[in-house]
Amino acid sequence: MDSCVMRTRLDGVHLVQTTDFFYPLVDDPYVQGKIAAANVLSDMYAMGVTHCDNVLMLLALSLEMSPQQRNVVTPLMIQGFNDLCREAETTVNGGQTVLNPWMIVGGVATCVARPEDYILPELAVAGDVLVLTKPLGTQVAVNAHQWLGTAGFDRIKGVISEADVRSAYRMSMHSMARLNRNAAGLMHKYKAHGATDVTGFGFLGHAINLCKNQREEVDFVVHTLPIIKGMIAVNEKFNFKLLEGFSAETSGGLLIAMPKAAATEYIKELEVVDGVQAWIVGEVVPGSRQARLADGCSFLEVCTPELG
């Protein structure tokens, strides 16, 4: 799943480790650095781990950039990465920087943990509900913003204004740069049965992977997809498979299976500590380890905080 958990030579002490990297997707190198750090740490948070002992940064600078451009972009991206790691109460100690045809940014996160520090993503039972902690549509929002001033925007300007594209872009940046750390910590308090973070495979792709990993023979049935406002209309012009659940996300929310009785209080407390919404998006039912969108699945357009 999202992170590997390995026994060490020390009794009861395990190593939780993950790596992730991707191409830049926003035009602010400082924010891009923060998004990259959040994305790396999110794999660990999906395991319920809330403390990371060390992060390595991986950075490939594009050969297409001039030395002057690299001198501007590199310090800002590193600063953003470091700042978010400090927010997560961890530090960056090492890494690798290379030149590459395409720019790549990411890292490696490591935690020394005991079994009570993490939640294996395999304990969902029939009667649980599925909770999602961030909205979908970041890929659509980022692309719509990139199309401003190009022929691509001509295809969507009849369904969304430039102002609304910029607003959705700021919502997506705020969401992608926000840590899933509090969501992970509350998984323990409310006895969650496992989670994954929603990234490159899209919401349903990750739901399928999580469901296949369960010990019990269950299905995940999704009845609601919360989507950044305006992105449903954009998706109708350029089909990102957003409404099918397969639009890629970056640094997305945690998809958590938890007892139905705990979900409402989990969502309320997460909104208090993070200042953002989360949603009950589905249910766990007896089945054969399949995940699917319910017939009549509803699509909920949401407004979330914008990056200032």
Side-chain angles (χ1 to χ4, degrees):
M1 291 296 295
D2 297 290
S3 298
C4 65
V5 180
M6 300 173 290
R7 291 186 177 89
T8 68
R9 67 183 186 279
L10 303 175
D11 233 16
V13 178
H14 294 169
L15 196 67
V16 183
Q17 199 165 48
T18 182
T19 185
D20 211 334
F21 50 86
F22 58 93
Y23 304 119
L25 67 165
V26 300
D27 56 12
D28 183 322
Y30 176 77
V31 175
Q32 180 59 59
K34 295 183 74 172
I35 292 170
N39 193 60
V40 171
L41 291 166
S42 188
D43 285 338
M44 195 161 283
Y45 297 145
M47 300 288 292
V49 172
T50 58
H51 181 77
C52 176
D53 288 295
N54 187 53
V55 178
L56 305 176
M57 185 177 186
L58 306 176
L59 181 61
L61 299 171
S62 174
L63 291 166
E64 298 295 321
M65 299 170 70
S66 68
Q68 292 81 6
Q69 289 171 325
R70 288 198 290 269
N71 288 340
V72 171
V73 169
T74 306
L76 288 170
M77 199 169 290
I78 292 173
Q79 182 185 348
F81 194 94
N82 284 333
D83 283 353
L84 203 75
C85 286
R86 276 191 288 269
E87 182 183 326
E89 297 183 288
T90 188
T91 54
V92 181
N93 296 286
Q96 180 69 288
T97 304
V98 299
L99 290 175
N100 193 57
W102 305 278
M103 183 167 242
I104 298 172
V105 59
V108 179
T110 303
C111 172
V112 179
R114 298 189 183 275
E116 60 267 26
D117 296 328
Y118 56 81
I119 300 170
L120 293 175
E122 58 186 26
L123 304 174
V125 296
D128 282 354
V129 295
L130 303 173
V131 172
L132 181 64
T133 66
K134 291 184 183 181
L136 307 175
T138 55
Q139 182 193 43
V140 185
V142 166
N143 277 271
H145 184 261
Q146 289 174 348
W147 295 332
L148 289 175
T150 73
F153 185 70
D154 292 341
R155 287 183 57 179
I156 63 172
K157 65 182 180 182
V159 297
I160 191 168
S161 68
E162 289 193 23
D164 285 344
V165 167
R166 297 184 194 281
S167 175
Y169 178 64
R170 291 192 297 269
M171 285 187 226
S172 71
M173 285 201 296
H174 181 279
S175 178
M176 291 186 290
R178 177 166 60 84
L179 293 169
N180 282 319
R181 190 183 185 195
N182 289 328
L186 291 175
M187 284 169 58
H188 292 270
K189 179 176 180 178
Y190 291 98
K191 310 300 183 187
H193 292 150
T196 187
D197 65 329
V198 179
T199 51
F201 295 130
F203 172 87
L204 192 57
H206 287 282
I208 290 169
N209 288 339
L210 180 61
C211 195
K212 286 179 179 178
N213 200 56
Q214 300 311 302
R215 297 180 187 176
E216 299 289 328
E217 292 187 351
V218 294
D219 281 357
F220 291 175
V221 181
V222 178
H223 55 62
T224 305
L225 293 182
I227 295 171
I228 294 170
K229 183 181 177 183
M231 297 305 97
I232 292 175
V234 174
N235 183 77
E236 290 173 354
K237 297 296 183 179
F238 288 90
N239 185 11
F240 290 87
K241 297 187 176 180
L242 179 63
L243 305 188
E244 290 86 355
F246 289 110
S247 181
E249 305 291 334
T250 296
S251 189
L254 299 186
L255 174 63
I256 309 165
M258 66 171 54
K260 183 177 182 179
T264 299
E265 290 305 311
Y266 174 92
I267 288 170
K268 286 180 181 178
E269 186 165 352
L270 184 61
E271 186 166 4
V272 170
V273 295
D274 268 358
V276 294
Q277 292 176 284
W279 304 266
I280 297 174
V281 297
E283 57 187 357
V284 181
V285 301
S288 56
R289 300 186 183 91
Q290 304 293 318
R292 64 185 185 276
L293 302 187
D295 293 338
C297 180
S298 63
F299 306 109
L300 178 67
E301 287 205 299
V302 299
C303 291
T304 58
E306 299 182 16
L307 192 71

